PDB file of all heavy atoms in Angstrom:
ATOM      1  N   GLU A  22      17.946 -32.595 -15.567  1.00 70.00           N
ATOM      2  CA  GLU A  22      18.137 -31.337 -14.836  1.00 70.00           C
ATOM      3  C   GLU A  22      17.654 -31.424 -13.392  1.00 70.00           C
ATOM      4  O   GLU A  22      17.697 -30.438 -12.673  1.00 70.00           O
ATOM      5  CB  GLU A  22      17.372 -30.199 -15.525  1.00 70.00           C
ATOM      6  CG  GLU A  22      18.249 -29.373 -16.438  1.00 70.00           C
ATOM      7  CD  GLU A  22      18.050 -29.752 -17.888  1.00 70.00           C
ATOM      8  OE1 GLU A  22      17.013 -29.362 -18.414  1.00 70.00           O
ATOM      9  OE2 GLU A  22      18.924 -30.430 -18.458  1.00 70.00           O
ATOM     10  N   ARG A  23      17.142 -32.586 -12.969  1.00 70.00           N
ATOM     11  CA  ARG A  23      16.509 -32.584 -11.666  1.00 70.00           C
ATOM     12  C   ARG A  23      17.531 -32.429 -10.530  1.00 70.00           C
ATOM     13  O   ARG A  23      18.695 -32.728 -10.685  1.00 70.00           O
ATOM     14  CB  ARG A  23      15.641 -33.826 -11.464  1.00 70.00           C
ATOM     15  CG  ARG A  23      16.361 -35.138 -11.313  1.00 70.00           C
ATOM     16  CD  ARG A  23      15.289 -36.224 -11.390  1.00 70.00           C
ATOM     17  NE  ARG A  23      15.776 -37.534 -10.962  1.00 70.00           N
ATOM     18  CZ  ARG A  23      16.381 -38.384 -11.775  1.00 70.00           C
ATOM     19  NH1 ARG A  23      16.614 -38.063 -13.041  1.00 70.00           N
ATOM     20  NH2 ARG A  23      16.769 -39.570 -11.339  1.00 70.00           N
ATOM     21  N   THR A  24      16.969 -31.929  -9.409  1.00 71.00           N
ATOM     22  CA  THR A  24      17.791 -31.645  -8.231  1.00 71.00           C
ATOM     23  C   THR A  24      18.529 -32.903  -7.798  1.00 71.00           C
ATOM     24  O   THR A  24      17.927 -33.947  -7.623  1.00 71.00           O
ATOM     25  CB  THR A  24      16.863 -31.169  -7.089  1.00 71.00           C
ATOM     26  OG1 THR A  24      15.854 -30.351  -7.671  1.00 71.00           O
ATOM     27  CG2 THR A  24      17.620 -30.396  -6.046  1.00 71.00           C
ATOM     28  N   PHE A  25      19.846 -32.782  -7.646  1.00 72.00           N
ATOM     29  CA  PHE A  25      20.641 -33.951  -7.300  1.00 72.00           C
ATOM     30  C   PHE A  25      21.278 -33.785  -5.930  1.00 72.00           C
ATOM     31  O   PHE A  25      22.104 -32.914  -5.727  1.00 72.00           O
ATOM     32  CB  PHE A  25      21.704 -34.197  -8.370  1.00 72.00           C
ATOM     33  CG  PHE A  25      22.527 -35.422  -8.111  1.00 72.00           C
ATOM     34  CD1 PHE A  25      22.023 -36.692  -8.358  1.00 72.00           C
ATOM     35  CD2 PHE A  25      23.808 -35.309  -7.601  1.00 72.00           C
ATOM     36  CE1 PHE A  25      22.778 -37.817  -8.105  1.00 72.00           C
ATOM     37  CE2 PHE A  25      24.575 -36.447  -7.342  1.00 72.00           C
ATOM     38  CZ  PHE A  25      24.062 -37.704  -7.595  1.00 72.00           C
ATOM     39  N   LEU A  26      20.857 -34.614  -4.992  1.00 74.00           N
ATOM     40  CA  LEU A  26      21.397 -34.603  -3.631  1.00 74.00           C
ATOM     41  C   LEU A  26      21.704 -33.198  -3.086  1.00 74.00           C
ATOM     42  O   LEU A  26      22.852 -32.854  -2.834  1.00 74.00           O
ATOM     43  CB  LEU A  26      22.651 -35.493  -3.568  1.00 74.00           C
ATOM     44  CG  LEU A  26      22.407 -36.984  -3.803  1.00 74.00           C
ATOM     45  CD1 LEU A  26      23.734 -37.749  -3.885  1.00 74.00           C
ATOM     46  CD2 LEU A  26      21.527 -37.593  -2.730  1.00 74.00           C
ATOM     47  N   PRO A  27      20.632 -32.380  -2.924  1.00 77.00           N
ATOM     48  CA  PRO A  27      20.840 -31.033  -2.394  1.00 77.00           C
ATOM     49  C   PRO A  27      21.249 -31.112  -0.916  1.00 77.00           C
ATOM     50  O   PRO A  27      20.993 -32.112  -0.260  1.00 77.00           O
ATOM     51  CB  PRO A  27      19.467 -30.387  -2.535  1.00 77.00           C
ATOM     52  CG  PRO A  27      18.515 -31.534  -2.444  1.00 77.00           C
ATOM     53  CD  PRO A  27      19.209 -32.718  -3.062  1.00 77.00           C
ATOM     54  N   SER A  28      21.829 -30.038  -0.414  1.00 80.00           N
ATOM     55  CA  SER A  28      22.162 -30.009   1.016  1.00 80.00           C
ATOM     56  C   SER A  28      20.843 -29.903   1.773  1.00 80.00           C
ATOM     57  O   SER A  28      19.804 -29.538   1.216  1.00 80.00           O
ATOM     58  CB  SER A  28      23.044 -28.809   1.313  1.00 80.00           C
ATOM     59  OG  SER A  28      22.310 -27.634   1.090  1.00 80.00           O
ATOM     60  N   ARG A  29      20.911 -30.210   3.037  1.00 80.00           N
ATOM     61  CA  ARG A  29      19.734 -30.215   3.883  1.00 80.00           C
ATOM     62  C   ARG A  29      18.961 -28.891   3.818  1.00 80.00           C
ATOM     63  O   ARG A  29      17.736 -28.873   3.772  1.00 80.00           O
ATOM     64  CB  ARG A  29      20.202 -30.469   5.317  1.00 80.00           C
ATOM     65  CG  ARG A  29      19.176 -31.084   6.180  1.00 80.00           C
ATOM     66  CD  ARG A  29      19.396 -30.782   7.619  1.00 80.00           C
ATOM     67  NE  ARG A  29      18.071 -30.581   8.176  1.00 80.00           N
ATOM     68  CZ  ARG A  29      17.589 -31.302   9.161  1.00 80.00           C
ATOM     69  NH1 ARG A  29      18.310 -32.211   9.712  1.00 80.00           N
ATOM     70  NH2 ARG A  29      16.359 -31.095   9.589  1.00 80.00           N
ATOM     71  N   GLU A  30      19.674 -27.777   3.777  1.00 83.00           N
ATOM     72  CA  GLU A  30      19.026 -26.446   3.765  1.00 83.00           C
ATOM     73  C   GLU A  30      18.284 -26.218   2.454  1.00 83.00           C
ATOM     74  O   GLU A  30      17.408 -25.369   2.379  1.00 83.00           O
ATOM     75  CB  GLU A  30      20.033 -25.297   3.932  1.00 83.00           C
ATOM     76  CG  GLU A  30      20.987 -25.387   5.116  1.00 83.00           C
ATOM     77  CD  GLU A  30      22.152 -26.321   4.857  1.00 83.00           C
ATOM     78  OE1 GLU A  30      23.084 -25.894   4.158  1.00 83.00           O
ATOM     79  OE2 GLU A  30      22.134 -27.479   5.313  1.00 83.00           O
ATOM     80  N   HIS A  31      18.642 -26.936   1.409  1.00 88.00           N
ATOM     81  CA  HIS A  31      17.984 -26.719   0.119  1.00 88.00           C
ATOM     82  C   HIS A  31      17.082 -27.872  -0.291  1.00 88.00           C
ATOM     83  O   HIS A  31      16.779 -28.049  -1.462  1.00 88.00           O
ATOM     84  CB  HIS A  31      19.036 -26.433  -0.957  1.00 88.00           C
ATOM     85  CG  HIS A  31      19.746 -25.139  -0.723  1.00 88.00           C
ATOM     86  ND1 HIS A  31      20.996 -25.072  -0.148  1.00 88.00           N
ATOM     87  CD2 HIS A  31      19.354 -23.860  -0.922  1.00 88.00           C
ATOM     88  CE1 HIS A  31      21.350 -23.800  -0.024  1.00 88.00           C
ATOM     89  NE2 HIS A  31      20.373 -23.041  -0.485  1.00 88.00           N
ATOM     90  N   CYS A  32      16.666 -28.673   0.714  1.00 92.00           N
ATOM     91  CA  CYS A  32      15.819 -29.828   0.407  1.00 92.00           C
ATOM     92  C   CYS A  32      14.467 -29.343  -0.119  1.00 92.00           C
ATOM     93  O   CYS A  32      13.741 -28.625   0.570  1.00 92.00           O
ATOM     94  CB  CYS A  32      15.623 -30.677   1.657  1.00 92.00           C
ATOM     95  SG  CYS A  32      14.455 -32.002   1.397  1.00 92.00           S
ATOM     96  N   PRO A  33      14.067 -29.737  -1.333  1.00 93.00           N
ATOM     97  CA  PRO A  33      12.789 -29.274  -1.890  1.00 93.00           C
ATOM     98  C   PRO A  33      11.577 -29.966  -1.255  1.00 93.00           C
ATOM     99  O   PRO A  33      10.440 -29.563  -1.512  1.00 93.00           O
ATOM    100  CB  PRO A  33      12.896 -29.637  -3.378  1.00 93.00           C
ATOM    101  CG  PRO A  33      13.873 -30.765  -3.431  1.00 93.00           C
ATOM    102  CD  PRO A  33      14.828 -30.562  -2.276  1.00 93.00           C
ATOM    103  N   LEU A  34      11.812 -30.993  -0.421  1.00 95.00           N
ATOM    104  CA  LEU A  34      10.691 -31.722   0.178  1.00 95.00           C
ATOM    105  C   LEU A  34      10.443 -31.311   1.627  1.00 95.00           C
ATOM    106  O   LEU A  34       9.519 -31.789   2.262  1.00 95.00           O
ATOM    107  CB  LEU A  34      10.927 -33.237   0.094  1.00 95.00           C
ATOM    108  CG  LEU A  34      11.233 -33.786  -1.305  1.00 95.00           C
ATOM    109  CD1 LEU A  34      11.321 -35.299  -1.277  1.00 95.00           C
ATOM    110  CD2 LEU A  34      10.191 -33.342  -2.327  1.00 95.00           C
ATOM    111  N   CYS A  35      11.273 -30.425   2.144  1.00 95.00           N
ATOM    112  CA  CYS A  35      11.040 -29.884   3.483  1.00 95.00           C
ATOM    113  C   CYS A  35       9.928 -28.831   3.404  1.00 95.00           C
ATOM    114  O   CYS A  35       9.655 -28.299   2.329  1.00 95.00           O
ATOM    115  CB  CYS A  35      12.331 -29.270   4.031  1.00 95.00           C
ATOM    116  SG  CYS A  35      13.394 -30.471   4.878  1.00 95.00           S
ATOM    117  N   PRO A  36       9.279 -28.517   4.531  1.00 96.00           N
ATOM    118  CA  PRO A  36       8.264 -27.458   4.493  1.00 96.00           C
ATOM    119  C   PRO A  36       8.918 -26.102   4.206  1.00 96.00           C
ATOM    120  O   PRO A  36      10.118 -25.961   4.397  1.00 96.00           O
ATOM    121  CB  PRO A  36       7.653 -27.492   5.896  1.00 96.00           C
ATOM    122  CG  PRO A  36       8.528 -28.333   6.731  1.00 96.00           C
ATOM    123  CD  PRO A  36       9.444 -29.113   5.853  1.00 96.00           C
ATOM    124  N   THR A  37       8.100 -25.166   3.722  1.00 95.00           N
ATOM    125  CA  THR A  37       8.605 -23.804   3.502  1.00 95.00           C
ATOM    126  C   THR A  37       8.455 -23.023   4.799  1.00 95.00           C
ATOM    127  O   THR A  37       7.344 -22.767   5.248  1.00 95.00           O
ATOM    128  CB  THR A  37       7.817 -23.112   2.372  1.00 95.00           C
ATOM    129  OG1 THR A  37       8.013 -23.848   1.167  1.00 95.00           O
ATOM    130  CG2 THR A  37       8.301 -21.681   2.164  1.00 95.00           C
ATOM    131  N   HIS A  38       9.567 -22.683   5.411  1.00 90.00           N
ATOM    132  CA  HIS A  38       9.519 -21.919   6.662  1.00 90.00           C
ATOM    133  C   HIS A  38       9.421 -20.429   6.345  1.00 90.00           C
ATOM    134  O   HIS A  38      10.023 -19.967   5.370  1.00 90.00           O
ATOM    135  CB  HIS A  38      10.742 -22.217   7.510  1.00 90.00           C
ATOM    136  CG  HIS A  38      10.776 -23.645   7.975  1.00 90.00           C
ATOM    137  ND1 HIS A  38       9.823 -24.160   8.835  1.00 90.00           N
ATOM    138  CD2 HIS A  38      11.615 -24.661   7.668  1.00 90.00           C
ATOM    139  CE1 HIS A  38      10.095 -25.440   9.045  1.00 90.00           C
ATOM    140  NE2 HIS A  38      11.164 -25.780   8.342  1.00 90.00           N
ATOM    141  N   PRO A  39       8.648 -19.698   7.162  1.00 89.00           N
ATOM    142  CA  PRO A  39       8.509 -18.248   6.917  1.00 89.00           C
ATOM    143  C   PRO A  39       9.892 -17.605   6.792  1.00 89.00           C
ATOM    144  O   PRO A  39      10.750 -17.803   7.645  1.00 89.00           O
ATOM    145  CB  PRO A  39       7.773 -17.742   8.159  1.00 89.00           C
ATOM    146  CG  PRO A  39       7.112 -18.953   8.749  1.00 89.00           C
ATOM    147  CD  PRO A  39       7.950 -20.131   8.370  1.00 89.00           C
ATOM    148  N   GLY A  40      10.110 -16.888   5.702  1.00 88.00           N
ATOM    149  CA  GLY A  40      11.388 -16.209   5.493  1.00 88.00           C
ATOM    150  C   GLY A  40      12.467 -17.089   4.884  1.00 88.00           C
ATOM    151  O   GLY A  40      13.499 -16.595   4.464  1.00 88.00           O
TER     152      GLY A  40
END
Side-chain angles (χ1 to χ4, degrees):
E22 263 101 75
R23 70 190 193 273
T24 322
F25 182 76
L26 294 173
S28 66
R29 206 205 142 121
E30 308 80 78
H31 294 100
C32 174
L34 306 185
C35 273
T37 298
H38 295 295

